[in-house]
Amino acid sequence: MRTPDVLTFGESLVSLRSAGPLATGGTLTTHVAGAEANVAIALARLGHRSAWVGRVSTDELGEFVLRQLRGEGVDTGGVVRDAERSTGLMFLERRTADLTRVQYRRAGSAGSALTVDDLRAPLAAGARVLHLTGITPALSPSAREATAWAAKSAGIPVCLDVNYRARLWSRDAARAVLAPLAAHASIVVASDDELDLVGDVDTLLRQGADAVLVKLGAAGARAHTRDGVHHAGALTVTAVDTVGAGDAFTAGYLSGRLDGLDVDGCLRRAVTLGAFAVSTSGDWEGLPRRDELSMLDNHETGSTIR
């Protein structure tokens, strides 16, 4: 595969989804999950070259992760197969119509054993953008070291999605790690309740960020740049599953940037992918191909394309 447009790394999980409470049993469906993998898949579906690096087990679950990613066009040539550790699991239950609950089984997983050495060759091979998230450094000391090394050594624009996970670490612990990482980022992405973990907008722009993206949920999103503040409203859709929406948003913005769109165009694509994500089931399964990007323009609820 040619040099990727976007290189990303982190932990890909096997997600076991239940339509109802896990405690009552029932059928589980198997999927691939993980913030970085979601971004890589979203970009590949839009025709960009994306590569994902990480560690997966040598068993059937590790093979499942790789087959899914490769099937979506993601380059996995830099993936390390770990014979000593298992691939992490995520159990996701639809507890009520409005509430989804997640449980992890990822302690000591192959993905958490990521090291600097795992990233040296893929990063040296080049990319147009390096994408990383605040999830990876929360997994283990070695993953934290690898993330910091990559952010400092990339030599290419870095996109940091804060992606705070309270089950992985405290806000104080996250802030101590993520604020220094953000100083190396060209693009910083955060929900409005995550921004304080990496600093205020003015500080981030002074440190060198080209854009600070603030996700506002149903209110859309803002992009803070040195030229001012841009806003895009959310598209009106029926929310079905919000898991993965933030990753879709980030991928949409990166896609627009790779295509040379202005900030408003990038934001529009970002909220469009976010709308696809929340209005379809799965972390990434309902995300659009490039020729589908206009499907939600001026659509009506319940409409059919004939």
Side-chain angles (χ1 to χ4, degrees), residues 77-146:
V79 171
V80 176
R81 301 300 297 270
D82 191 326
E84 298 179 359
R85 299 174 180 85
S86 61
T87 293
L89 299 177
M90 179 174 80
F91 293 88
L92 188 149
E93 61 178 335
R94 192 68 178 270
R95 190 60 187 83
T96 72
D98 301 312
L99 178 64
T100 297
R101 187 161 57 183
V102 174
Q103 297 184 38
Y104 296 108
R105 297 294 184 273
R106 67 199 307 179
S109 68
S112 69
L114 186 77
T115 69
V116 171
D117 286 341
D118 297 335
L119 303 180
R120 292 187 191 277
L123 199 54
R128 293 174 63 185
V129 177
L130 173 66
H131 171 259
L132 51 90
T133 78
I135 297 173
T136 305
L139 299 178
S140 70
S142 69
R144 190 173 310 131
E145 179 187 10

Short mmCIF file of all heavy atoms in Angstrom, two decimals, residues 77-146:
data_model
loop_
_atom_site.label_atom_id
_atom_site.label_comp_id
_atom_site.label_asym_id
_atom_site.label_seq_id
_atom_site.Cartn_x
_atom_site.Cartn_y
_atom_site.Cartn_z
N GLY A 77 -0.46 -3.44 7.84
CA GLY A 77 0.86 -4.02 7.66
C GLY A 77 1.80 -3.82 8.84
O GLY A 77 2.75 -4.59 9.01
N GLY A 78 1.55 -2.82 9.66
CA GLY A 78 2.42 -2.56 10.80
C GLY A 78 1.96 -3.18 12.10
O GLY A 78 2.56 -2.96 13.15
N VAL A 79 0.90 -3.98 12.04
CA VAL A 79 0.34 -4.58 13.26
C VAL A 79 1.26 -5.67 13.80
O VAL A 79 1.84 -6.45 13.05
CB VAL A 79 -1.06 -5.17 12.98
CG1 VAL A 79 -1.56 -5.99 14.16
CG2 VAL A 79 -2.04 -4.05 12.65
N VAL A 80 1.39 -5.71 15.12
CA VAL A 80 2.19 -6.73 15.81
C VAL A 80 1.24 -7.81 16.33
O VAL A 80 0.25 -7.50 16.99
CB VAL A 80 2.99 -6.12 16.98
CG1 VAL A 80 3.73 -7.21 17.75
CG2 VAL A 80 3.96 -5.07 16.46
N ARG A 81 1.55 -9.08 16.05
CA ARG A 81 0.78 -10.19 16.60
C ARG A 81 1.45 -10.64 17.90
O ARG A 81 2.63 -10.96 17.93
CB ARG A 81 0.73 -11.37 15.61
CG ARG A 81 0.11 -11.04 14.27
CD ARG A 81 -1.32 -10.56 14.36
NE ARG A 81 -2.24 -11.54 14.89
CZ ARG A 81 -2.90 -12.43 14.16
NH1 ARG A 81 -2.73 -12.47 12.85
NH2 ARG A 81 -3.75 -13.27 14.72
N ASP A 82 0.69 -10.63 18.97
CA ASP A 82 1.22 -10.90 20.31
C ASP A 82 0.72 -12.27 20.78
O ASP A 82 -0.47 -12.46 21.03
CB ASP A 82 0.74 -9.80 21.27
CG ASP A 82 1.44 -9.83 22.61
OD1 ASP A 82 1.78 -10.93 23.08
OD2 ASP A 82 1.64 -8.76 23.20
N ALA A 83 1.64 -13.22 20.89
CA ALA A 83 1.27 -14.58 21.27
C ALA A 83 1.05 -14.75 22.77
O ALA A 83 0.54 -15.79 23.20
CB ALA A 83 2.35 -15.55 20.79
N GLU A 84 1.44 -13.75 23.55
CA GLU A 84 1.37 -13.89 25.00
C GLU A 84 0.16 -13.21 25.62
O GLU A 84 -0.12 -13.41 26.80
CB GLU A 84 2.64 -13.30 25.63
CG GLU A 84 3.92 -14.01 25.19
CD GLU A 84 5.15 -13.40 25.82
OE1 GLU A 84 5.01 -12.41 26.57
OE2 GLU A 84 6.26 -13.91 25.57
N ARG A 85 -0.55 -12.43 24.86
CA ARG A 85 -1.67 -11.66 25.42
C ARG A 85 -2.91 -11.81 24.56
O ARG A 85 -2.83 -12.09 23.37
CB ARG A 85 -1.29 -10.17 25.55
CG ARG A 85 -0.09 -9.92 26.45
CD ARG A 85 0.32 -8.45 26.42
NE ARG A 85 1.45 -8.20 27.29
CZ ARG A 85 2.73 -8.37 26.93
NH1 ARG A 85 3.01 -8.79 25.70
NH2 ARG A 85 3.71 -8.10 27.77
N SER A 86 -4.04 -11.57 25.16
CA SER A 86 -5.31 -11.69 24.45
C SER A 86 -5.75 -10.35 23.90
O SER A 86 -5.35 -9.29 24.38
CB SER A 86 -6.39 -12.24 25.39
OG SER A 86 -6.57 -11.35 26.49
N THR A 87 -6.59 -10.39 22.89
CA THR A 87 -7.22 -9.18 22.37
C THR A 87 -8.29 -8.72 23.36
O THR A 87 -9.04 -9.53 23.90
CB THR A 87 -7.85 -9.46 20.99
OG1 THR A 87 -6.79 -9.73 20.06
CG2 THR A 87 -8.66 -8.28 20.50
N GLY A 88 -8.35 -7.41 23.60
CA GLY A 88 -9.31 -6.88 24.55
C GLY A 88 -10.76 -7.06 24.10
O GLY A 88 -11.05 -7.12 22.90
N LEU A 89 -11.65 -7.15 25.08
CA LEU A 89 -13.08 -7.31 24.82
C LEU A 89 -13.86 -6.11 25.35
O LEU A 89 -13.49 -5.51 26.36
CB LEU A 89 -13.62 -8.58 25.48
CG LEU A 89 -13.02 -9.92 25.04
CD1 LEU A 89 -13.63 -11.05 25.86
CD2 LEU A 89 -13.24 -10.15 23.56
N MET A 90 -14.95 -5.81 24.68
CA MET A 90 -15.88 -4.79 25.15
C MET A 90 -17.29 -5.36 25.05
O MET A 90 -17.68 -5.85 23.99
CB MET A 90 -15.76 -3.52 24.30
CG MET A 90 -16.71 -2.42 24.71
SD MET A 90 -16.41 -0.88 23.79
CE MET A 90 -17.24 -1.24 22.25
N PHE A 91 -18.02 -5.33 26.14
CA PHE A 91 -19.42 -5.77 26.15
C PHE A 91 -20.31 -4.53 26.15
O PHE A 91 -20.17 -3.66 27.02
CB PHE A 91 -19.71 -6.62 27.38
CG PHE A 91 -19.00 -7.94 27.38
CD1 PHE A 91 -17.72 -8.05 27.90
CD2 PHE A 91 -19.60 -9.06 26.83
CE1 PHE A 91 -17.05 -9.27 27.89
CE2 PHE A 91 -18.94 -10.29 26.83
CZ PHE A 91 -17.66 -10.39 27.35
N LEU A 92 -21.20 -4.47 25.21
CA LEU A 92 -22.07 -3.29 25.07
C LEU A 92 -23.51 -3.76 25.12
O LEU A 92 -23.93 -4.60 24.33
CB LEU A 92 -21.75 -2.59 23.76
CG LEU A 92 -22.39 -1.24 23.49
CD1 LEU A 92 -21.46 -0.38 22.63
CD2 LEU A 92 -23.74 -1.39 22.79
N GLU A 93 -24.26 -3.21 26.08
CA GLU A 93 -25.66 -3.59 26.22
C GLU A 93 -26.57 -2.39 26.03
O GLU A 93 -26.31 -1.29 26.53
CB GLU A 93 -25.92 -4.22 27.59
CG GLU A 93 -25.63 -3.32 28.77
CD GLU A 93 -25.94 -3.97 30.11
OE1 GLU A 93 -26.79 -4.88 30.15
OE2 GLU A 93 -25.33 -3.55 31.11
N ARG A 94 -27.65 -2.60 25.30
CA ARG A 94 -28.68 -1.58 25.14
C ARG A 94 -29.60 -1.70 26.35
O ARG A 94 -30.56 -2.46 26.36
CB ARG A 94 -29.44 -1.81 23.84
CG ARG A 94 -30.34 -0.65 23.45
CD ARG A 94 -29.53 0.57 23.06
NE ARG A 94 -30.36 1.67 22.65
CZ ARG A 94 -30.74 1.88 21.40
NH1 ARG A 94 -30.38 1.03 20.44
NH2 ARG A 94 -31.48 2.92 21.10
N ARG A 95 -29.26 -0.92 27.41
CA ARG A 95 -29.96 -1.09 28.68
C ARG A 95 -31.38 -0.55 28.61
O ARG A 95 -32.31 -1.14 29.15
CB ARG A 95 -29.17 -0.41 29.79
CG ARG A 95 -29.67 -0.72 31.19
CD ARG A 95 -29.58 -2.22 31.47
NE ARG A 95 -30.21 -2.59 32.74
CZ ARG A 95 -31.49 -2.79 32.90
NH1 ARG A 95 -32.33 -2.65 31.87
NH2 ARG A 95 -31.98 -3.13 34.07
N THR A 96 -31.57 0.60 27.98
CA THR A 96 -32.89 1.15 27.69
C THR A 96 -32.82 1.75 26.30
O THR A 96 -31.75 1.80 25.68
CB THR A 96 -33.32 2.24 28.70
OG1 THR A 96 -32.55 3.43 28.46
CG2 THR A 96 -33.11 1.78 30.14
N ALA A 97 -33.93 2.26 25.81
CA ALA A 97 -33.94 2.88 24.49
C ALA A 97 -33.01 4.09 24.42
O ALA A 97 -32.52 4.44 23.34
CB ALA A 97 -35.36 3.29 24.12
N ASP A 98 -32.76 4.70 25.57
CA ASP A 98 -31.95 5.91 25.59
C ASP A 98 -30.60 5.75 26.27
O ASP A 98 -29.83 6.70 26.38
CB ASP A 98 -32.71 7.05 26.31
CG ASP A 98 -34.02 7.37 25.64
OD1 ASP A 98 -34.02 7.53 24.41
OD2 ASP A 98 -35.04 7.45 26.35
N LEU A 99 -30.29 4.54 26.74
CA LEU A 99 -29.05 4.35 27.51
C LEU A 99 -28.33 3.08 27.09
O LEU A 99 -28.89 1.99 27.12
CB LEU A 99 -29.37 4.28 29.01
CG LEU A 99 -28.17 4.03 29.95
CD1 LEU A 99 -27.20 5.20 29.88
CD2 LEU A 99 -28.65 3.81 31.37
N THR A 100 -27.08 3.26 26.68
CA THR A 100 -26.20 2.14 26.36
C THR A 100 -25.11 2.06 27.41
O THR A 100 -24.53 3.08 27.79
CB THR A 100 -25.57 2.33 24.97
OG1 THR A 100 -26.60 2.35 23.98
CG2 THR A 100 -24.60 1.20 24.66
N ARG A 101 -24.83 0.85 27.89
CA ARG A 101 -23.83 0.67 28.93
C ARG A 101 -22.70 -0.22 28.41
O ARG A 101 -22.95 -1.20 27.72
CB ARG A 101 -24.48 0.05 30.17
CG ARG A 101 -23.56 -0.02 31.38
CD ARG A 101 -24.36 -0.20 32.66
NE ARG A 101 -25.22 -1.38 32.64
CZ ARG A 101 -26.04 -1.69 33.64
NH1 ARG A 101 -26.14 -0.90 34.70
NH2 ARG A 101 -26.79 -2.78 33.56
N VAL A 102 -21.47 0.15 28.76
CA VAL A 102 -20.29 -0.55 28.25
C VAL A 102 -19.49 -1.12 29.41
O VAL A 102 -19.31 -0.48 30.45
CB VAL A 102 -19.40 0.40 27.42
CG1 VAL A 102 -18.10 -0.29 27.02
CG2 VAL A 102 -20.15 0.89 26.18
N GLN A 103 -19.00 -2.35 29.24
CA GLN A 103 -18.06 -2.95 30.18
C GLN A 103 -16.84 -3.43 29.40
O GLN A 103 -16.97 -3.92 28.27
CB GLN A 103 -18.70 -4.15 30.90
CG GLN A 103 -19.90 -3.80 31.76
CD GLN A 103 -20.41 -5.00 32.51
OE1 GLN A 103 -19.64 -5.84 32.97
NE2 GLN A 103 -21.73 -5.09 32.63
N TYR A 104 -15.65 -3.26 30.00
CA TYR A 104 -14.41 -3.63 29.32
C TYR A 104 -13.77 -4.84 30.00
O TYR A 104 -13.84 -5.02 31.20
CB TYR A 104 -13.41 -2.48 29.36
CG TYR A 104 -13.84 -1.24 28.61
CD1 TYR A 104 -14.22 -0.09 29.30
CD2 TYR A 104 -13.86 -1.22 27.22
CE1 TYR A 104 -14.61 1.05 28.62
CE2 TYR A 104 -14.26 -0.08 26.53
CZ TYR A 104 -14.63 1.05 27.24
OH TYR A 104 -15.01 2.18 26.57
N ARG A 105 -13.10 -5.65 29.19
CA ARG A 105 -12.20 -6.70 29.65
C ARG A 105 -10.90 -6.52 28.85
O ARG A 105 -10.64 -7.24 27.90
CB ARG A 105 -12.81 -8.08 29.39
CG ARG A 105 -14.10 -8.35 30.14
CD ARG A 105 -13.90 -8.42 31.66
NE ARG A 105 -15.14 -8.77 32.35
CZ ARG A 105 -16.06 -7.90 32.75
NH1 ARG A 105 -15.88 -6.60 32.52
NH2 ARG A 105 -17.15 -8.30 33.36
N ARG A 106 -10.13 -5.50 29.25
CA ARG A 106 -8.95 -5.14 28.46
C ARG A 106 -7.67 -5.05 29.29
O ARG A 106 -6.60 -4.81 28.73
CB ARG A 106 -9.20 -3.82 27.74
CG ARG A 106 -9.32 -2.63 28.65
CD ARG A 106 -10.00 -1.42 28.03
NE ARG A 106 -9.45 -0.97 26.77
CZ ARG A 106 -9.96 0.07 26.09
NH1 ARG A 106 -11.01 0.73 26.57
NH2 ARG A 106 -9.43 0.43 24.96
N ALA A 107 -7.73 -5.25 30.59
CA ALA A 107 -6.52 -5.17 31.41
C ALA A 107 -5.52 -6.23 30.96
O ALA A 107 -5.86 -7.42 30.84
CB ALA A 107 -6.86 -5.36 32.89
N GLY A 108 -4.29 -5.84 30.72
CA GLY A 108 -3.25 -6.77 30.29
C GLY A 108 -3.41 -7.27 28.87
O GLY A 108 -2.79 -8.27 28.48
N SER A 109 -4.21 -6.59 28.07
CA SER A 109 -4.48 -7.04 26.71
C SER A 109 -3.28 -6.80 25.80
O SER A 109 -2.33 -6.07 26.14
CB SER A 109 -5.68 -6.28 26.14
OG SER A 109 -5.34 -4.91 25.95
N ALA A 110 -3.32 -7.43 24.63
CA ALA A 110 -2.27 -7.21 23.63
C ALA A 110 -2.18 -5.73 23.27
O ALA A 110 -1.08 -5.17 23.16
CB ALA A 110 -2.56 -8.05 22.39
N GLY A 111 -3.32 -5.09 23.09
CA GLY A 111 -3.32 -3.68 22.71
C GLY A 111 -2.67 -2.78 23.73
O GLY A 111 -2.02 -1.79 23.38
N SER A 112 -2.80 -3.12 25.01
CA SER A 112 -2.23 -2.29 26.06
C SER A 112 -0.72 -2.42 26.14
O SER A 112 -0.06 -1.61 26.80
CB SER A 112 -2.84 -2.66 27.42
OG SER A 112 -2.42 -3.95 27.84
N ALA A 113 -0.14 -3.42 25.48
CA ALA A 113 1.31 -3.66 25.52
C ALA A 113 2.05 -2.91 24.42
O ALA A 113 3.24 -3.16 24.19
CB ALA A 113 1.60 -5.15 25.42
N LEU A 114 1.39 -1.99 23.75
CA LEU A 114 2.01 -1.18 22.70
C LEU A 114 3.29 -0.52 23.21
O LEU A 114 3.34 -0.04 24.35
CB LEU A 114 1.03 -0.10 22.24
CG LEU A 114 1.45 0.74 21.04
CD1 LEU A 114 1.28 -0.04 19.75
CD2 LEU A 114 0.63 2.03 21.00
N THR A 115 4.34 -0.50 22.38
CA THR A 115 5.62 0.10 22.77
C THR A 115 6.09 1.08 21.71
O THR A 115 5.58 1.11 20.58
CB THR A 115 6.70 -0.97 22.95
OG1 THR A 115 7.03 -1.54 21.66
CG2 THR A 115 6.24 -2.07 23.89
N VAL A 116 7.09 1.85 22.05
CA VAL A 116 7.72 2.77 21.10
C VAL A 116 8.23 2.01 19.88
O VAL A 116 8.06 2.45 18.73
CB VAL A 116 8.86 3.55 21.78
CG1 VAL A 116 9.67 4.34 20.74
CG2 VAL A 116 8.32 4.50 22.84
N ASP A 117 8.85 0.86 20.10
CA ASP A 117 9.41 0.10 18.99
C ASP A 117 8.34 -0.34 18.00
O ASP A 117 8.63 -0.50 16.80
CB ASP A 117 10.16 -1.13 19.52
CG ASP A 117 11.50 -0.77 20.15
OD1 ASP A 117 12.00 0.35 19.88
OD2 ASP A 117 12.02 -1.58 20.92
N ASP A 118 7.12 -0.54 18.46
CA ASP A 118 6.04 -0.91 17.54
C ASP A 118 5.72 0.20 16.56
O ASP A 118 5.17 -0.06 15.48
CB ASP A 118 4.76 -1.25 18.33
CG ASP A 118 4.93 -2.45 19.24
OD1 ASP A 118 5.79 -3.30 18.95
OD2 ASP A 118 4.19 -2.52 20.24
N LEU A 119 6.04 1.43 16.91
CA LEU A 119 5.66 2.59 16.09
C LEU A 119 6.78 3.12 15.22
O LEU A 119 6.53 3.91 14.30
CB LEU A 119 5.17 3.72 17.00
CG LEU A 119 4.00 3.40 17.94
CD1 LEU A 119 3.64 4.62 18.76
CD2 LEU A 119 2.78 2.93 17.14
N ARG A 120 8.01 2.71 15.48
CA ARG A 120 9.15 3.31 14.78
C ARG A 120 9.06 3.15 13.26
O ARG A 120 9.14 4.13 12.51
CB ARG A 120 10.46 2.71 15.29
CG ARG A 120 10.80 3.08 16.72
CD ARG A 120 12.20 2.60 17.09
NE ARG A 120 12.45 2.71 18.51
CZ ARG A 120 12.85 3.82 19.12
NH1 ARG A 120 13.02 4.94 18.41
NH2 ARG A 120 13.06 3.85 20.43
N ALA A 121 8.90 1.92 12.79
CA ALA A 121 8.87 1.68 11.35
C ALA A 121 7.65 2.31 10.68
O ALA A 121 7.79 2.97 9.64
CB ALA A 121 8.94 0.18 11.06
N PRO A 122 6.43 2.14 11.22
CA PRO A 122 5.29 2.77 10.56
C PRO A 122 5.40 4.29 10.49
O PRO A 122 5.04 4.90 9.47
CB PRO A 122 4.10 2.36 11.45
CG PRO A 122 4.54 1.08 12.08
CD PRO A 122 6.00 1.27 12.33
N LEU A 123 5.92 4.92 11.54
CA LEU A 123 6.05 6.37 11.52
C LEU A 123 7.15 6.80 10.56
O LEU A 123 7.01 7.81 9.85
CB LEU A 123 6.33 6.89 12.93
CG LEU A 123 6.06 8.37 13.19
CD1 LEU A 123 4.63 8.73 12.81
CD2 LEU A 123 6.29 8.70 14.65
N ALA A 124 8.24 6.03 10.50
CA ALA A 124 9.33 6.37 9.58
C ALA A 124 8.89 6.23 8.13
O ALA A 124 9.44 6.91 7.24
CB ALA A 124 10.53 5.46 9.85
N ALA A 125 7.91 5.37 7.86
CA ALA A 125 7.44 5.17 6.49
C ALA A 125 6.67 6.37 5.96
O ALA A 125 6.48 6.52 4.75
CB ALA A 125 6.56 3.92 6.42
N GLY A 126 6.20 7.23 6.88
CA GLY A 126 5.56 8.47 6.47
C GLY A 126 4.05 8.41 6.41
O GLY A 126 3.45 7.34 6.28
N ALA A 127 3.44 9.56 6.52
CA ALA A 127 2.00 9.76 6.39
C ALA A 127 1.77 11.26 6.30
O ALA A 127 2.66 12.06 6.63
CB ALA A 127 1.24 9.17 7.59
N ARG A 128 0.58 11.66 5.88
CA ARG A 128 0.27 13.08 5.83
C ARG A 128 -0.17 13.61 7.20
O ARG A 128 0.07 14.76 7.53
CB ARG A 128 -0.82 13.35 4.79
CG ARG A 128 -0.38 13.07 3.36
CD ARG A 128 -1.52 13.20 2.38
NE ARG A 128 -2.05 14.56 2.33
CZ ARG A 128 -3.12 14.90 1.61
NH1 ARG A 128 -3.77 13.97 0.90
NH2 ARG A 128 -3.55 16.15 1.60
N VAL A 129 -0.81 12.75 7.99
CA VAL A 129 -1.31 13.14 9.31
C VAL A 129 -1.15 11.95 10.25
O VAL A 129 -1.38 10.80 9.87
CB VAL A 129 -2.80 13.55 9.25
CG1 VAL A 129 -3.33 13.88 10.65
CG2 VAL A 129 -3.02 14.73 8.32
N LEU A 130 -0.78 12.23 11.49
CA LEU A 130 -0.78 11.22 12.55
C LEU A 130 -1.97 11.51 13.46
O LEU A 130 -2.10 12.62 13.98
CB LEU A 130 0.51 11.28 13.37
CG LEU A 130 0.55 10.38 14.61
CD1 LEU A 130 0.52 8.92 14.22
CD2 LEU A 130 1.78 10.70 15.47
N HIS A 131 -2.83 10.52 13.63
CA HIS A 131 -3.99 10.68 14.51
C HIS A 131 -3.79 9.85 15.76
O HIS A 131 -3.45 8.66 15.68
CB HIS A 131 -5.26 10.24 13.80
CG HIS A 131 -6.46 10.19 14.71
ND1 HIS A 131 -6.94 9.02 15.25
CD2 HIS A 131 -7.24 11.17 15.20
CE1 HIS A 131 -7.98 9.28 16.02
NE2 HIS A 131 -8.18 10.58 16.01
N LEU A 132 -4.01 10.47 16.91
CA LEU A 132 -3.93 9.73 18.17
C LEU A 132 -5.04 10.19 19.10
O LEU A 132 -5.65 11.24 18.89
CB LEU A 132 -2.56 9.90 18.82
CG LEU A 132 -2.00 11.31 19.01
CD1 LEU A 132 -2.42 11.87 20.36
CD2 LEU A 132 -0.49 11.30 18.91
N THR A 133 -5.31 9.36 20.11
CA THR A 133 -6.38 9.70 21.05
C THR A 133 -5.87 9.62 22.48
O THR A 133 -4.81 9.05 22.77
CB THR A 133 -7.58 8.72 20.93
OG1 THR A 133 -7.27 7.49 21.60
CG2 THR A 133 -7.93 8.44 19.48
N GLY A 134 -6.66 10.18 23.38
CA GLY A 134 -6.34 10.13 24.80
C GLY A 134 -6.65 8.80 25.44
O GLY A 134 -6.41 8.62 26.64
N ILE A 135 -7.15 7.84 24.67
CA ILE A 135 -7.43 6.52 25.22
C ILE A 135 -6.13 5.72 25.36
O ILE A 135 -5.87 5.11 26.39
CB ILE A 135 -8.43 5.76 24.33
CG1 ILE A 135 -9.77 6.48 24.29
CG2 ILE A 135 -8.61 4.33 24.83
CD1 ILE A 135 -10.76 5.90 23.31
N THR A 136 -5.32 5.74 24.31
CA THR A 136 -4.12 4.90 24.29
C THR A 136 -3.19 5.14 25.47
O THR A 136 -2.75 4.19 26.12
CB THR A 136 -3.38 5.07 22.96
OG1 THR A 136 -4.28 4.80 21.89
CG2 THR A 136 -2.19 4.13 22.87
N PRO A 137 -2.85 6.39 25.82
CA PRO A 137 -1.93 6.58 26.95
C PRO A 137 -2.52 6.18 28.29
O PRO A 137 -1.78 6.04 29.27
CB PRO A 137 -1.62 8.08 26.91
CG PRO A 137 -2.75 8.70 26.18
CD PRO A 137 -3.16 7.67 25.16
N ALA A 138 -3.82 5.96 28.35
CA ALA A 138 -4.45 5.51 29.60
C ALA A 138 -4.34 4.00 29.80
O ALA A 138 -4.64 3.50 30.89
CB ALA A 138 -5.92 5.92 29.62
N LEU A 139 -3.89 3.27 28.78
CA LEU A 139 -3.93 1.81 28.84
C LEU A 139 -2.80 1.21 29.66
O LEU A 139 -2.99 0.18 30.32
CB LEU A 139 -3.90 1.23 27.43
CG LEU A 139 -5.07 1.60 26.51
CD1 LEU A 139 -4.87 0.99 25.14
CD2 LEU A 139 -6.39 1.15 27.11
N SER A 140 -1.61 1.80 29.61
CA SER A 140 -0.46 1.23 30.30
C SER A 140 0.70 2.22 30.23
O SER A 140 0.69 3.13 29.40
CB SER A 140 -0.03 -0.08 29.65
OG SER A 140 0.54 0.17 28.37
N PRO A 141 1.72 2.05 31.08
CA PRO A 141 2.90 2.92 30.99
C PRO A 141 3.59 2.85 29.63
O PRO A 141 4.04 3.87 29.11
CB PRO A 141 3.80 2.40 32.12
CG PRO A 141 2.84 1.83 33.13
CD PRO A 141 1.75 1.20 32.30
N SER A 142 3.69 1.64 29.05
CA SER A 142 4.37 1.54 27.76
C SER A 142 3.57 2.21 26.64
O SER A 142 4.15 2.85 25.76
CB SER A 142 4.63 0.07 27.40
OG SER A 142 3.43 -0.62 27.11
N ALA A 143 2.24 2.10 26.69
CA ALA A 143 1.41 2.77 25.70
C ALA A 143 1.48 4.28 25.87
O ALA A 143 1.44 5.04 24.90
CB ALA A 143 -0.03 2.27 25.81
N ARG A 144 1.57 4.72 27.13
CA ARG A 144 1.72 6.16 27.40
C ARG A 144 3.04 6.68 26.84
O ARG A 144 3.09 7.74 26.20
CB ARG A 144 1.64 6.39 28.91
CG ARG A 144 1.54 7.85 29.32
CD ARG A 144 1.29 7.94 30.82
NE ARG A 144 0.17 7.07 31.20
CZ ARG A 144 0.19 6.20 32.19
NH1 ARG A 144 1.27 6.07 32.95
NH2 ARG A 144 -0.85 5.45 32.47
N GLU A 145 4.10 5.93 27.05
CA GLU A 145 5.41 6.33 26.53
C GLU A 145 5.39 6.36 25.00
O GLU A 145 5.94 7.28 24.38
CB GLU A 145 6.48 5.37 27.02
CG GLU A 145 7.88 5.69 26.51
CD GLU A 145 8.90 4.62 26.87
OE1 GLU A 145 8.50 3.54 27.34
OE2 GLU A 145 10.11 4.88 26.66
N ALA A 146 4.76 5.37 24.39
CA ALA A 146 4.69 5.30 22.93
C ALA A 146 3.91 6.48 22.36
O ALA A 146 4.31 7.06 21.33
CB ALA A 146 4.04 3.98 22.50
#
